[in-house]
Amino acid sequence: GVDALSFNDFRDLHATMSLESGETPDAVARRLGHADVSTTLNVYADVLPGAERKSLVNLEEKINAQLNSNSA
């Protein structure tokens, strides 16, 4: 069967999914109650490379949309 998930399991899942979806580490740290963002980064650093890539793609899309609307 499936083992029950603990509160910390859900907390880790929430933090991981938040970072992967492009939320800033600062926002996630505040939500988790971490006094310093370095705590969040130390614990969840392994999920950031993919999140960083997605964030950069989103930024690029916004810039391109802005440039296209200005040239129209």
Side-chain angles (χ1 to χ4, degrees):
V2 176
D3 293 334
L5 295 176
S6 70
F7 173 78
N8 282 333
D9 292 334
F10 281 111
R11 178 182 165 92
D12 288 345
L13 179 62
H14 167 76
T16 299
M17 293 179 75
S18 295
L19 291 167
E20 286 178 339
S21 71
E23 284 195 53
T24 65
D26 286 336
V28 175
R30 282 191 302 274
R31 198 171 317 117
L32 294 175
H34 292 163
D36 192 315
V37 71
S38 66
T39 302
T40 308
L41 293 171
N42 288 334
V43 174
Y44 300 102
D46 58 321
V47 301
L48 289 176
E52 183 177 343
R53 169 100 175 109
K54 183 176 181 179
S55 178
L56 290 174
V57 168
N58 289 339
L59 177 61
E60 180 182 21
E61 290 172 354
K62 288 179 182 181
I63 290 171
N64 286 335
Q66 185 66 38
L67 291 173
N68 289 336
S69 69
N70 287 340
S71 65

